[in-house]
Amino acid sequence: MAIFIPLFVVMACAAVMTFIKDGIYKDALNTVSTLPDITVQQTAGGRVSYVQEELAKEISADPSLRKVVPRAWGYVPLVVPGGGIASYTLMGVDVGSAFSSQDISLAIGSGRFLSASDKNCAVVGKIFAAQNKVDLGGTILLTDESGNETAFTIIGIFKSSSQIHTADLIVTDIESARTFLGYSRNESSDLAVYLKEPQFADQVSKDILVSRKNVRALTKEDLATAIKQGYDGKAGIFQLAWLILLLSVLVLAWAQASSISLEMKKEIGVLKAIGWSILDIIELKMMEVVIIGLGGILCGILFGMFFVYMGAPLVKQYFLGWAVVYPQFPLPISIEGSSIFLLFVIGLFPLSAATIFPAWLTGTIEPDSAIRSG
Amino acid sequence: MIQIRSLTKVFKETGREVVALCDVKIDIQKGECVLIGGTSGSGKTTLLNVVGCLTRPTSGEVLIDHNATSGLPEHFLSDLRRRKIGFVFQQYHLFTGYTAIENVGMPLVPKGVREAERRRRAGYLLDSLGLHGRADFPVNELSGGEQQRVAIARALINDPDIIIADEPSSNIDAGNAAKIIEIFVELIRRGKTFLITAHNGLLTKQLPVTSSYVLENGRMK
């Protein structure tokens, strides 16, 4: 019974870790779904440079492409409610090239997406709108690097399952973005390339690279790998925490095994003396560990669920990572059946082994010896 | 019923051998009450443990109902202990954290007896041993005499033919010892075979002992 409280604490920590990790990972996967099949960048001296209009025209000539969308990216500092400055992403897309919100897998929750005639209009994430207290028809005032202010009218709000992707995102038309970010008329940050047959992205990216110099072509898969690694590992925090928690479970299991050898030997000897067989004893120990173990694990998981639904106070910022420059948004959480199963396995298996094995070992010695040594 | 033939038990402790029993021979018939006497460390408890199949002899043999026990595999011994032998330990060896009635019903668990039936049978035994009203008390809240009676009830729950009692009155006061003797007398009258150790004279005087032996340094005197 003494194992219950430490097991509860360890499993609560493991559950919190798992639910946050799953949430962030799921969010990362949602971000991946917003990526184009290929992202083409121009380089100069090995560094990313502005993409010229000629490159977009050249690449667009390839018949295997569905469309090539020039994009202008930049970062905009904005005072967040409650103080501090957060860095938001301004993405200008060429709406004239038939770009739609579906291309970045972001459904519109309210309002509409940009049309070709929209100038200085913006579509923002739900959290952005809530935090900056703007709604449809409202305006946000953005300040460029020269200190000039530009007002953007909110015409749409994303209904996204990807909090990380849309929390800092302001989507506008490419011309407005170019003007605001100081790009010249024919320049863009990169080209979002959409293929007729996305499964051939590797081959098409190779073709783009073979025929051109100073160009970088990144497939969705390349970027997905980078994003997943970044989120999944989260700078090693998850791995480290998992290692600590796993070690904690093993230490608990060891403590359990030790307590059996000291305290339970006599009990096992007496049980054998009154007619219990080794199998009866193992069955009893199994039931004990399952009841206590399941109880501790279940309470830990339930507490973990409660904790993450309360917003994971104290630990949230550690998992969001770069929150010093990032807007505030709720920690994404996800509670998967497979993760809960994994938590039960991780909690129960070492504990069961640490209980059953010593019980069996003690059960094999003579009752007289077991009673005397206990 | 029980034949003890040239029984020897040697313990190996920190590299040296300690002879606990040497060439012990006793025949016990069904319904007999055999008393084993001797000073502390003379080998009385070891003899009971070997006869009760709690440990195997180094040499010699114990036969119960003409069946040799020393060579039996462990699961047969468990079965034998459950069916034939009821053990009353000097230190009671009850399971703390459980109630008196749960302790008494414990030997019935491996037989698959349902809890209600276990409670019924254990309750009946506790009542008959004068523990009415104490059944649902945790055993650590009972007095020494009550704990010993719980231990006796546990030994009797499977209705064994043989009762092995190791110093059953040594840790309790005279009043409780008298009650236990009374219980034993009744059981002997009903035909149970008793093998009891004692180093004081109270049991010797009041029990209908059919034969008694004295051990000294593991040998029969």
Side-chain angles (χ1 to χ4, degrees), chain A residues 130-277:
Chain A
Q131 284 180 342
N132 290 282
K133 296 183 174 58
V134 285
D135 210 340
L136 291 176
T139 56
I140 46 166
L141 214 54
L142 302 181
T143 309
D144 65 20
E145 284 178 330
S146 310
N148 301 319
E149 288 183 335
T150 306
F152 285 83
T153 307
I154 307 297
I155 60 161
I157 295 172
F158 290 119
K159 183 181 78 180
S160 173
S161 54
S162 171
Q163 292 174 359
I164 287 175
H165 189 71
T166 60
D168 74 331
L169 191 63
I170 305 165
V171 180
T172 186
D173 68 284
I174 195 162
E175 290 310 326
S176 301
R178 276 172 176 154
T179 307
F180 182 82
L181 297 168
Y183 284 49
S184 65
R185 189 175 164 72
N186 297 325
E187 286 175 344
S188 51
S189 310
D190 57 23
L191 303 174
V193 177
Y194 297 90
L195 305 181
K196 286 175 183 164
E197 294 177 275
Q199 68 270 30
F200 297 118
D202 267 347
Q203 189 53 50
V204 175
S205 79
K206 279 176 193 160
D207 292 345
I208 291 170
L209 293 174
V210 165
S211 53
R212 288 164 195 90
K213 287 176 183 173
N214 303 332
V215 163
R216 192 156 73 174
L218 301 163
T219 63
K220 190 177 196 168
E221 202 59 40
D222 295 333
L223 291 171
T225 306
I227 290 172
K228 280 179 195 170
Q229 280 175 348
Y231 279 105
D232 196 24
K234 205 65 187 171
I237 291 174
F238 286 118
Q239 280 85 346
L240 189 64
W242 262 111
L243 190 67
I244 292 167
L245 290 169
L246 198 63
L247 282 173
S248 305
V249 172
L250 292 176
V251 168
L252 285 178
W254 176 259
Q256 177 78 349
S258 305
S259 75
I260 276 185
S261 64
L262 294 171
E263 295 169 20
M264 299 289 168
K265 261 186 178 175
K266 188 177 126 190
E267 182 189 313
I268 290 171
V270 176
L271 284 171
K272 286 189 76 180
I274 63 172
W276 287 49
S277 68

Side-chain angles (χ1 to χ4, degrees), chain B residues 55-195:
Chain B
T55 185
R56 293 174 197 269
T58 308
S59 65
E61 190 58 87
V62 175
L63 288 91
I64 295 176
D65 287 342
H66 309 292
N67 296 311
T69 59
S70 64
L72 287 174
E74 182 52 41
H75 63 279
F76 277 105
L77 290 179
S78 296
D79 188 53
L80 183 70
R81 287 192 289 263
R82 185 165 58 232
R83 286 187 300 104
K84 288 269 178 194
I85 303 165
F87 232 103
V88 180
F89 297 97
Q90 185 179 2
Q91 303 295 335
Y92 324 136
H93 290 328
L94 297 172
F95 301 106
T96 52
Y98 292 89
T99 61
I101 202 163
E102 286 167 343
N103 265 277
V104 175
M106 207 66 92
L108 297 174
V109 175
K111 291 170 84 175
V113 178
R114 297 172 74 90
E115 195 190 345
E117 176 63 10
R118 288 204 305 267
R119 281 190 69 85
R120 192 190 65 76
R121 285 162 65 175
Y124 173 78
L125 269 175
L126 287 171
D127 284 355
S128 66
L129 295 179
L131 288 168
H132 180 73
R134 305 300 249 175
D136 290 313
F137 275 62
V139 286
N140 50 320
E141 290 180 17
L142 301 179
S143 69
E146 287 170 332
Q147 288 190 40
Q148 189 62 296
R149 278 183 279 162
V150 172
I152 293 169
R154 184 178 67 182
L156 296 175
I157 192 81
N158 276 325
D159 194 23
D161 294 331
I162 303 163
I163 311 287
I164 295 176
D166 188 9
E167 306 273 4
S169 62
S170 65
N171 289 326
I172 50 179
D173 57 49
N176 276 303
K179 280 182 194 167
I180 284 164
I181 289 165
E182 203 177 302
I183 293 161
F184 282 7
V185 169
E186 173 61 20
L187 290 168
I188 293 163
R189 196 186 59 76
R190 282 197 240 157
K192 301 289 181 194
T193 305
F194 265 75
L195 182 60

